[in-house]
Amino acid sequence: MSCLKEQNQRSLDNGSETSAVYSSENYVRHLRTLDVNIDSGDHTDFSVPGVMPHGSGGEWSGYSREAGSSRMDHHCTNYRFYPPPHDAEPSLPQYQFATHGDFVLPQSSPFHLMNPSLANNSHLSSLGGQWSSEGPVHSNMLSGEIYDAVASICPDSKDDHGPESYRKQETMAELMPQNQMDSSQSANGPLTVYLQHLDHQLGENATLLSPTCPLLACLPLGPTTASFPPTIWSSLVLLALDTATTTCLHPTFHSLNGSLWDSKSKKPCNCTKSQCLKLYCDCFANGDVCSNCNCINCCNNNEHESERYKAIKICLDRNPEAFRPKIGNGKLGEIKGRHNKGCNCKRSGCLKNYCECYEAKIMCSSTCKCVGCRNYEDSPERKTMVWDSPDTTFYKKAKCDKDKCPLSCITLDVVEATCGCLLAQAEEAEKEGYMLCQAEKMILDEFGQCLTQIVRSIFKSTSS
DNA sequence: GAGTTTGAAACT
DNA sequence: CAGTTTCAAACTC
């Protein structure tokens, strides 16, 4: 525990990019090496050491200690992560050290947490390292991994976690005594209320984890897994979500409770046919709701939450990285980045704003598949570009924007490290058998300490 | 401002 | 996965 905390602390201190991760994607990658088909159609379920399937209609296939094999049951779409049994020797090459670039957690997007497919793919991680038999190490997590990590803390992987127990599992609201629920809501603040409101809005049409309360249902709650108080789980997840959504993971993101960014500065869209619910719409693609736009039949607003979330889910199902910023960050301190996907320009020479690289004021890279590109380092045309000099508007603007937003130092690493600290605190509280209120206080205290350090860093960076 | 061009996203 | 269609922004006149 202390090691974990130290590690996260280091990450907070220096924003290290590499840290220990036991993630679902690593697990899935490993499964691929075992020729286990985990991407067969709409229904994906698998059963492997340490993984607890859950969902409706699925037969619990469990972990075969004898064979150590994986079996597919194509009935449900969800799975859960649990630490592998202590007596299960890691027969697999294990993997812990993962690096990744930036990712995006769309504004008010519970789907990242709810949709395990996000954890199945995307974000390449390097392999290597050792299996952590004592459970997962939570650090440097992606949003999907936060879900997995939260689920994986639960040390209880007994056989009584079959589908039946999950089917019978009540939602948090049903599970908790009313007084606890109330205090939980007030403690978790508007985000909880908002998400519950969303759950309610989605109702039976929701294609998420639970027909009743999708977000809350993704938590490992239930009569037989109650070793951890429900409010802790919810606090952790919601806190992680809240933390992520209120930081600068994406420059255009707005927090649920208000905008860190001036939405008025957002460029208005002019969509006519997409209802602003497809990635054609820049607002939607950037995780923004439309405001002051010129769009027609817009559904990308708070009045159409349900449609909006369904659209988000469709996009994420199609491409888990759909809302990832197209321009990845460069190295620390650099202004320029790199187009994650690369452009495919054919006629513009990548010297017009049709080109996403050019539009982002960056050079094309090996990732691009453009034809006749003139947007490269030594291109004569590029050398005359207005944004090529540090004295140009672009550079001035970039610096200005950075100065304007001291929160830009809240990087993904910092968010992840914070989440890691909170999870570590939760683990410790559980281990020590603290009462619910004590555990909550510990986590909140930890969060306060994290925030203090972040604020210190901000003051440090802005004063220098 | 209307029409054209362009390339990303969506679809088949 | 490649080809085609749809879409909205960028561009031109």
Side-chain angles (χ1 to χ4, degrees):
Chain A
M1 179 62 62
S2 59
C3 288
L4 172 60
K5 289 193 70 174
E6 282 170 19
Q7 178 189 30
N8 288 327
Q9 191 63 53
R10 280 198 301 277
S11 190
L12 267 178
D13 290 341
N14 58 25
S16 68
E17 289 189 359
T18 303
S19 56
V21 172
Y22 165 51
S23 70
S24 56
E25 66 174 289
N26 288 338
Y27 215 121
V28 168
R29 184 175 295 105
H30 172 74
L31 291 182
R32 289 202 169 101
T33 68
L34 295 178
D35 271 333
V36 175
N37 179 12
I38 57 172
D39 293 324
S40 51
D42 294 329
H43 301 288
T44 299
D45 187 18
F46 56 89
S47 158
V48 290
V51 179
M52 175 75 70
H54 103 124
S56 59
E59 179 193 351
W60 162 234
S61 52
Y63 167 54
S64 168
R65 287 165 187 261
E66 292 74 30
S69 63
S70 303
R71 182 157 70 85
M72 302 294 296
D73 284 321
H74 298 278
H75 297 293
C76 56
T77 58
N78 312 314
Y79 58 81
R80 291 168 183 244
F81 265 61
Y82 285 82
H86 289 293
D87 58 343
E89 281 299 314
S91 58
L92 326 170
Q94 292 307 335
Y95 18 69
Q96 276 193 331
F97 292 93
T99 58
H100 57 78
D102 46 10
F103 81 104
V104 77
L105 183 61
Q107 175 198 7
S108 55
S109 169
F111 296 107
H112 267 184
L113 275 176
M114 292 184 279
N115 186 351
S117 69
L118 291 169
N120 285 3
N121 39 36
S122 81
H123 304 300
L124 299 174
S125 297
S126 56
L127 305 180
Q130 297 297 312
W131 177 276
S132 171
S133 62
E134 292 303 315
V137 177
H138 311 284
S139 180
N140 212 15
M141 292 172 292
L142 306 177
S143 55
E145 288 171 334
I146 291 175
Y147 159 81
D148 298 318
V150 169
S152 66
I153 291 180
C154 181
D156 191 351
S157 59
K158 294 169 191 167
D159 290 339
D160 57 359
H161 290 76
E164 284 305 317
S165 68
Y166 281 110
R167 262 197 295 275
K168 291 172 186 169
Q169 175 179 308
E170 299 91 342
T171 64
M172 179 176 296
E174 293 163 341
L175 260 179
M176 294 174 61
Q178 190 56 43
N179 58 340
Q180 281 190 34
M181 193 63 205
D182 292 338
S183 69
S184 163
Q185 285 190 12
S186 60
N188 290 323
L191 183 59
T192 311
V193 176
Y194 182 81
L195 290 171
Q196 286 168 347
H197 167 66
L198 274 182
D199 289 334
H200 177 72
Q201 289 253 319
L202 287 168
E204 292 180 356
N205 293 326
T207 55
L208 305 172
L209 298 190
S210 158
T212 50
C213 188
L215 175 69
L216 302 181
C218 81
L219 301 173
L221 305 175
T224 56
T225 53
S227 62
F228 218 40
T231 51
I232 294 296
W233 294 110
S234 63
S235 295
L236 284 170
V237 175
L238 296 174
L239 208 48
L241 253 182
D242 217 352
T243 304
T245 52
T246 52
T247 54
C248 305
L249 296 181
H250 193 294
T252 56
F253 272 178
H254 299 177
S255 74
L256 294 173
N257 304 326
S259 175
L260 285 170
W261 305 86
D262 181 9
S263 61
K264 287 176 185 168
S265 65
K266 180 176 71 67
K267 195 176 168 188
C269 72
N270 300 291
C271 307
T272 57
K273 297 184 177 178
S274 66
Q275 297 184 298
C276 300
L277 290 182
K278 296 200 171 180
L279 293 172
Y280 297 127
C281 174
D282 283 344
C283 303
F284 181 75
N286 289 333
D288 285 318
V289 292
C290 289
S291 63
N292 302 316
C293 293
N294 307 311
C295 39
I296 300 170
N297 294 329
C298 180
C299 292
N300 184 29
N301 50 42
N302 294 331
E303 286 74 43
H304 297 83
E305 274 173 352
S306 176
E307 290 96 326
R308 184 169 184 265
Y309 276 88
K310 284 175 191 169
I312 290 171
K313 186 178 184 301
I314 289 169
C315 287
L316 290 172
D317 284 346
R318 185 182 295 132
N319 173 19
E321 298 194 9
F323 294 95
R324 187 186 183 195
K326 287 179 179 175
I327 309 301
N329 294 328
K331 289 175 185 173
L332 200 62
E334 286 182 5
I335 294 173
K336 292 178 187 176
R338 173 190 172 110
H339 199 292
N340 289 320
K341 199 175 158 192
C343 69
N344 297 287
C345 307
K346 290 176 177 62
R347 307 171 71 94
S348 66
C350 302
L351 288 178
K352 294 194 172 181
N353 280 332
Y354 298 126
C355 173
E356 291 195 345
C357 298
Y358 181 87
E359 191 180 21
K361 318 295 183 199
I362 57 174
M363 283 186 291
C364 289
S365 68
S366 55
T367 324
C368 299
K369 300 174 203 70
C370 40
V371 178
C373 179
R374 286 178 286 170
N375 181 24
Y376 55 92
E377 182 85 45
D378 298 323
S379 165
E381 290 90 344
R382 186 186 160 276
K383 281 180 178 170
T384 63
M385 280 183 224
V386 64
W387 48 270
D388 197 34
S389 156
D391 292 324
T392 60
T393 311
F394 168 69
Y395 273 76
K396 284 179 180 172
K397 185 179 181 305
K399 186 175 185 311
C400 177
D401 287 349
K402 204 180 174 210
D403 291 344
K404 224 182 334 184
C405 182
L407 292 179
S408 60
C409 74
I410 305 179
T411 63
L412 176 60
D413 287 329
V414 173
V415 172
E416 287 166 353
T418 304
C419 293
C421 287
L422 301 182
L423 288 165
Q425 203 66 22
E427 267 191 320
E428 194 168 339
E430 184 199 24
K431 208 173 177 180
E432 299 296 326
Y434 286 127
M435 295 190 43
L436 172 63
C437 55
Q438 289 173 305
E440 283 181 329
K441 185 178 182 306
M442 283 174 68
I443 293 169
L444 286 174
D445 284 346
E446 184 70 27
F447 190 51
Q449 286 179 28
C450 292
L451 282 181
T452 304
Q453 288 198 39
I454 291 168
V455 170
R456 265 194 208 127
S457 302
I458 291 172
F459 278 119
K460 220 177 192 177
S461 63
T462 52
S463 62
S464 59

